[in-house]
Amino acid sequence: MKKTSTSLADGRELIYYDLRDDTVRDAVDKRPLERTVTTSEIRRDPLLGDAIAVASHRQGRTYHPPADECPLCPSRDGRLSEIPDSSYDVVVFENRFPSLAGDSGRCEVVCFTSDHNASFADLTEEQAALVLEAWTDRTSELSHLPAVEQVFCFENRGAEIGVTLGHPHGQIYAYPFTTPRTALMLRSLAAHKEATGGGNLFDAVLESELAGERVVLESEHWLAFVPYAAHWPYEVHLYPKRRVPDLLGLDEEARTEFPQVYLELLRRFDRIFGEGEPPTPYIAAWHQAPFGALEEFEGVNRDDFALHLELFTIRRTSGKLKFLAGSESGMSVFINDVPPERAAERLREVAS
């Protein structure tokens, strides 16, 4: 992998990740851009204790442009985009309309390929491995920023999810706090450790799922399963079998095997609902241990946390979506229409 860091016309950082070491990236952003002005603010909810990002400048972000005006495609034929070069393998750049900025963290865009009509599932194993390297590198770099406590790499795919740009891409949020979902995991982890005299909850979950009926895919170094209490109609959790706290901790064997396993999972997701159906909308979310202090989670350290990816779709059956209505949105109590055992069975049935 070759990494080349440069700047866009408004001063935002852009980084090329290339498969070839001899690739030269010297294209200049020729757009007449003014410096980006953001209004991101973090507010704490005094009743729930969680944090909300208020970012009014995002109202002006690009919204469903036609393919020939996509800002994530390379700059070609006189049309200038967010990527100055005429081609790329993987590119990461600071979001022009970030939810988090400055002392409130940082937001980045990850473009998986220059092919506008592709998806992550269309990547080769070599390309997917390069995306993994980019995620890992950005996790490392962002973790050293003074304001950052947690790094979250994720992909939103499909208009039903709320994606406003059709180009295959993901995002990275670098939060200035431990996110509420991670805090819940850490509290459960601490309680289990105390109750069992030092046992690890993630290890216990993996052991239980490995022996059960919800395994979707297993390889030498990875395990994918539908969790016992899945929130979403089709939800898969992907864990490295050797517990590590973050992407930086993956060994070479797990890194080498990841593209094959992950691409197979994504391709199965596209086959869940049968031939002729539109691509399955999904969210793919990496859960990593916070880099900030963990004193409030008594007895827990970073190495107790288990890196894992959660992949889920909001589509519950052909042509129907799972909406977060009263119980889910009002009380955070999910109601799942698809039994997790049946979801796992279906995901095994559609193996390539």
Side-chain angles (χ1 to χ4, degrees):
M1 179 194 79
K2 182 180 180 181
K3 176 183 175 182
T4 306
S5 182
T6 184
S7 296
L8 296 172
D10 55 5
R12 287 176 294 133
E13 186 178 18
L14 179 142
I15 306 161
Y16 294 97
Y17 294 89
D18 286 294
L19 292 168
R20 292 175 54 97
D21 290 336
D22 60 353
T23 304
V24 177
R25 298 295 185 186
D26 55 7
V28 176
D29 184 5
K30 299 179 181 179
R31 296 172 298 169
L33 297 180
E34 297 182 356
R35 287 275 173 174
T36 301
V37 178
T38 62
T39 56
S40 180
E41 176 189 359
I42 301 297
R43 297 188 181 185
R44 293 278 180 178
D45 186 316
L47 296 180
L48 297 179
D50 57 6
I52 302 297
V54 180
S56 59
H57 61 276
R58 285 174 53 78
Q59 289 280 35
R61 66 188 186 274
T62 308
Y63 188 80
H64 292 300
D68 61 356
E69 296 180 16
C70 175
L72 306 185
C73 288
S75 294
R76 293 174 180 163
D77 304 321
R79 190 185 67 81
L80 304 179
S81 73
E82 289 280 67
I83 296 90
D85 217 323
S86 59
S87 66
Y88 63 83
D89 291 334
V90 173
V91 164
V92 177
F93 61 87
E94 288 184 78
N95 198 323
R96 191 176 179 186
F97 303 97
S99 303
L100 308 166
D103 292 339
S104 298
R106 175 160 159 150
C107 292
E108 299 182 341
V109 177
V110 184
C111 297
F112 304 138
T113 171
S114 60
D115 184 353
H116 180 85
N117 297 312
S119 70
F120 201 117
D122 295 323
L123 300 182
T124 65
E125 290 185 18
E126 186 181 34
Q127 289 174 309
L130 184 62
V131 176
L132 177 61
E133 289 300 312
W135 283 331
T136 304
D137 181 71
R138 296 314 302 151
T139 296
S140 176
E141 292 290 327
L142 293 170
S143 72
H144 289 97
L145 296 180
V148 172
E149 287 196 14
Q150 187 171 359
V151 179
F152 176 46
C153 306
F154 65 100
E155 180 192 1
N156 296 329
R157 192 251 194 138
E160 300 94 328
I161 296 293
V163 175
T164 57
L165 297 176
H167 196 102
H169 73 288
Q171 299 180 66
I172 303 175
Y173 278 20
Y175 297 102
F177 50 80
T178 296
T179 61
R181 188 173 176 86
T182 302
L184 287 174
M185 293 184 196
L186 290 168
R187 292 188 188 103
S188 296
L189 189 62
H192 180 88
K193 190 172 186 178
E194 181 179 6
T196 59
N200 185 277
L201 180 58
F202 288 109
D203 292 349
V205 167
L206 277 192
E207 182 179 357
S208 174
E209 293 291 356
L210 188 58
E213 57 183 316
R214 290 178 297 274
V215 171
V216 173
L217 180 62
E218 182 184 359
S219 66
E220 184 178 356
H221 300 286
W222 294 88
L223 179 69
F225 59 89
V226 177
Y228 170 74
H231 289 59
W232 299 95
Y234 291 91
E235 175 181 343
V236 175
H237 293 190
L238 177 63
Y239 279 74
K241 288 184 176 179
R242 184 179 70 85
R243 174 165 43 91
V244 295
D246 51 42
L247 289 165
L248 284 71
L250 290 174
D251 58 28
E252 198 58 38
E253 290 81 6
R255 290 183 181 281
T256 299
E257 200 176 65
F258 172 78
Q260 178 184 354
V261 174
Y262 187 50
L263 291 173
E264 172 63 17
L265 279 179
L266 292 181
R267 290 162 187 168
R268 290 191 193 189
F269 257 59
D270 274 342
R271 292 194 291 268
I272 293 174
F273 303 104
E275 296 293 331
E277 286 292 318
T280 301
Y282 66 73
I283 293 174
W286 280 109
H287 291 264
Q288 306 191 80
F291 290 94
L294 299 179
E295 283 85 357
E296 64 178 291
F297 310 103
E298 189 174 350
V300 170
N301 57 58
R302 290 195 79 248
D303 290 336
D304 291 324
F305 194 88
L307 167 76
H308 64 283
L309 182 141
E310 297 185 7
L311 173 68
F312 59 89
T313 179
I314 62 171
R315 187 180 292 165
R316 56 187 174 89
T317 189
S318 180
K320 297 179 181 179
L321 301 180
K322 167 63 180 176
F323 292 101
L324 300 189
S327 186
E328 291 88 357
S329 295
M331 284 292 159
S332 294
V333 178
F334 276 68
I335 300 169
N336 191 349
D337 301 321
V338 181
E341 292 74 21
R342 174 55 191 148
E345 182 181 20
R346 179 57 182 159
L347 285 161
R348 291 193 298 268
E349 289 174 350
V350 295
S352 57

